[in-house]
Amino acid sequence: MSLPVEKEVREVLAPYSKRIRKVLDRAFKDFLAKRGAGNMYKRTDSVDVFDSLIRAAVAEFNGKPGTVVFTSGSTARFLFDGKVLVRFKKAVKPGKGSNIRTGANDNFLDPGIPFADAPSAMKVEICWKVNELGTGYKSVHVTARNGEGHLWSFELPGGQQGIIEFPQQKSAAPQPRRRSVAKLKDTAKTKKKNGGEAS
């Protein structure tokens, strides 16, 4: 197993760039449709986006020419052209994935440890940076890691983020306005009734 080579990774992923961005667009669209009024905690948003993204990526790449999907463990991995193994990660900053220290995570980040199902593949992360509103991504980078550090990173080509429309809540049809008629007291009748004089 050799270190990931940026030029080779770029060449392998180039034909898939637009489809990868399409997966991200679909993931955020699905996330926004599901979340309703929103989650209380940002970490819940992150989990929901990640779940939507993995579902969209599996649907986009599973069983398609040039791609193999591995769904075992706590995340899915995607093999492109038998050469580049990818996992998706939310970025803490452009090009740097947010990772929790686990044995599986450390093994993936170590380029010297081969992935059992694709031992000769170069391992990289596709990291999306969430925009300020949490409604989409503002950048997508491909990053090769070496443990805690990183070897290199480049922005994934493929255009801008697709337009994501916010889900609209169905509102009830407007009710016709009722006309209110106010009755005014007739002071003359009231005084006559009470024995007084009308003025």
Side-chain angles (χ1 to χ4, degrees):
M1 165 116 209
S2 58
L3 292 176
V5 178
E6 182 178 350
K7 181 178 181 293
E8 293 176 23
V9 171
R10 280 180 183 268
E11 288 171 0
V12 169
L13 293 182
Y16 302 99
S17 295
K18 286 186 180 176
R19 290 172 65 192
I20 290 168
R21 285 186 178 265
K22 186 171 103 177
V23 162
L24 282 159
D25 292 345
R26 190 179 310 142
F28 275 98
K29 184 177 181 181
D30 291 349
F31 161 69
L32 291 173
K34 284 191 293 191
R35 82 172 187 168
N39 293 313
M40 186 175 291
Y41 301 106
K42 285 189 178 197
R43 68 176 176 261
T44 310
D45 285 347
S46 296
V47 170
D48 287 349
V49 169
F50 183 76
D51 187 74
S52 294
L53 187 140
I54 294 301
R55 288 175 189 274
V58 168
E60 179 69 29
F61 297 117
N62 195 28
K64 304 295 177 11
T67 60
V68 178
V69 178
F70 303 101
T71 55
S72 60
S74 60
T75 189
R77 295 160 193 88
F78 303 83
L79 182 64
F80 293 93
D81 294 345
K83 298 176 183 173
V84 176
L85 185 70
V86 163
R87 72 175 184 173
F88 289 91
K89 296 299 285 184
K90 176 185 172 189
V92 289
K93 63 181 183 179
K96 172 118 172 152
S98 172
N99 294 293
I100 296 171
R101 295 288 308 265
T102 64
N105 178 70
D106 292 349
N107 288 347
F108 191 89
L109 296 181
D110 186 338
I113 298 175
F115 181 65
D117 293 318
S120 61
M122 296 177 281
K123 299 182 292 184
V124 296
E125 293 181 324
I126 294 180
C127 307
W128 74 92
K129 181 73 176 133
V130 177
N131 66 19
E132 288 77 10
L133 298 175
T135 58
Y137 61 91
K138 61 182 182 180
S139 68
V140 183
H141 284 78
V142 176
T143 302
R145 300 285 299 269
N146 186 8
E148 286 299 305
H150 76 278
L151 301 169
W152 48 260
S153 183
F154 66 86
E155 186 156 8
L156 184 76
Q160 297 297 314
Q161 178 179 4
I163 296 171
I164 297 175
E165 295 182 15
F166 286 92
Q168 305 253 337
Q169 290 186 0
K170 292 181 182 176
S171 57
Q175 297 293 323
R177 290 182 59 146
R178 293 188 326 186
R179 293 177 73 187
S180 298
V181 179
K183 283 189 161 184
L184 299 175
K185 290 184 178 179
D186 185 344
T187 55
K189 281 185 182 178
T190 306
K191 286 186 179 179
K192 212 174 202 182
K193 199 180 202 183
N194 293 337
E197 290 185 15
S199 48

